[in-house]
Amino acid sequence: MSNKVEAIDVAKAANPWELYGPGQRRTLLFILFLTGTSNYADRNVIGVLLEPIKAEFGVSDTMLGLLTGLAFAIFYVTVGLPIAWLADRGNRKKIIVWSLTVWSIMTALCGVAQNFWQLALARVGVGAGEAGAVPPAQSLIADYYPPEQRAGALGVYMMSSMAGYIIGMTAGGWVAQHYGWREAFLVIGLPGFLLAVAAHFVLREPRLQAGFAVAPEATEDARQSIKLLLAKPAYRNIVYALVVYFLMAYGALVFTASFMIRVHGLTVAEAGGLFGIMSAVGAVVGNLGGGKLGDYLAKRDIAWVAKFPGLALIAALPLYVGSFAMGSVALMIPLSLIGGILLTGAVPTIFAALHVICGSKRRAMAVALAFFFANLIGLGLGPVLAGAISDHMAGIYGPADGLRYALMIMSLTFLPAGIFMLRAAKYLKSDLEE
């Protein structure tokens, strides 16, 4: 994109998304999709490596939950808010490029850890780096796409979470099976450096163009932004929903591969591959379908961007409980797959609802604040809570059924998550701020 073309576009554009044609938007979204894939692959590869890590370091499920949850989440949420404050004012492209570089380095360092606490420290670094991934990316997407196309675009971007799951689980599991768990961290982490170079040259920051820079008088300090966001009932209920949702979806479900290994006797590679395939199907159908359905329903009634995910989350509850209760993988797969489609289909519309009410000057802060609570409580405590329940149940039913019952209990969180989204729908129109 030449400077001349950009100047012509700026002269004609009244909104930042008018700077880009459909082809340019797809290219920009594709790069953001790849950065999101790297983000979630580096974050989630540890899920398929828990059993060999447990065997080598001799730690409990509770400690594994600490490794996957709090060790990652504590710096993720601590660094996330100041990064979001910068993203609402500065160059979001640079934030994404530097964050990508940091989390790639720290993922690779996980592969050279010589004890449990070194590994935990490296995971803290992964969390710190990935704090600059999602809020700036969603903020850019909201500038690249007009409001009536955002749920679909966010659906494509959100699909990167499952793509990362797939790569982390399948590639990570295969490498761990044949070469070792340390090598899996290296294989997943190192490609991020090449992607950082691509993001530097391809991504665009609309604020660098005349007329779209953030004027000092249009900005808010972080405290004011947070206060205004939390004053909105719809925003509060969306945050509540995300917190409870994360307890299971991004917390306890990290034990899914371990569940397949312990309960159904799969190898590390088999569990990673199967979970990766299930995640792939769920991601394509759920994120793309959910995003498109969200756009369609929003044109009829904007409140549906909150109603739809609420109903989807509630419907996922019996499917997940049933999938963990099944006595074979063949019976588990269809229930888990349908449940996964509902979960991934809900996510794009949850964030589309958030962007409807947050206001343009605090988009990144709105996402980061939601992630602050969702990751600190949901992602941070979800694996620890699931691990603690599993350890307790293991003393009664054994390690396999102990994990089974822990995941069934944790699945109950989808009910309150859905109820909170339905409550958010009641306030969405009164809290509207584009």
Side-chain angles (χ1 to χ4, degrees), residues 159-394:
M159 197 166 61
S160 67
S161 66
M162 289 298 104
Y165 244 115
I166 295 162
I167 293 173
M169 289 292 178
T170 55
W174 187 88
V175 173
Q177 183 74 28
H178 293 87
Y179 299 100
W181 64 266
R182 287 186 173 83
E183 287 74 10
F185 278 118
L186 295 172
V187 168
I188 296 299
L190 292 177
F193 295 105
L194 296 177
L195 181 56
V197 174
H200 172 75
F201 286 106
V202 176
L203 288 181
R204 293 289 183 265
E205 174 52 81
R207 293 172 183 166
L208 296 180
Q209 309 305 320
F212 294 104
V214 179
E217 62 271 16
T219 63
E220 300 169 345
D221 61 42
R223 183 178 300 180
Q224 184 181 10
S225 293
I226 293 172
K227 181 179 179 180
L228 290 171
L229 287 168
L230 294 179
K232 295 173 180 281
Y235 182 80
R236 293 199 304 271
N237 277 281
I238 291 171
V239 171
Y240 300 153
L242 285 171
V243 168
V244 183
Y245 170 81
F246 269 45
L247 279 170
M248 182 63 184
Y250 290 96
L253 282 183
V254 74
F255 284 100
T256 301
S258 292
F259 172 83
M260 293 178 177
I261 294 168
R262 293 187 202 177
V263 174
H264 298 301
L266 274 62
T267 66
V268 172
E270 289 170 343
L274 179 57
F275 189 52
I277 292 171
M278 292 165 58
S279 299
V281 176
V284 173
V285 178
N287 279 291
L288 294 182
K292 293 298 183 183
L293 182 57
D295 282 338
Y296 171 76
L297 293 173
K299 293 176 183 177
R300 299 169 64 89
D301 183 354
I302 194 65
W304 270 105
V305 294
K307 288 181 184 178
F308 167 66
L311 295 173
L313 290 170
I314 294 171
L317 167 57
L319 294 167
Y320 269 98
V321 171
S323 72
F324 293 123
M326 292 297 105
S328 70
V329 172
L331 294 174
M332 172 190 175
I333 289 174
L335 293 176
S336 183
L337 181 59
I338 298 171
I341 290 172
L342 290 172
L343 291 188
T344 56
V347 174
T349 45
I350 289 176
F351 283 99
L354 184 148
H355 284 290
V356 163
I357 61 173
C358 69
S360 61
K361 67 177 66 176
R362 61 188 80 93
R363 292 196 190 282
M365 180 59 74
V367 176
L369 185 62
F371 274 128
F372 176 87
F373 293 109
N375 283 299
L376 183 63
I377 302 172
L379 176 59
L381 296 182
V384 179
L385 183 58
I389 296 173
S390 176
D391 286 336
H392 174 74
M393 292 292 187

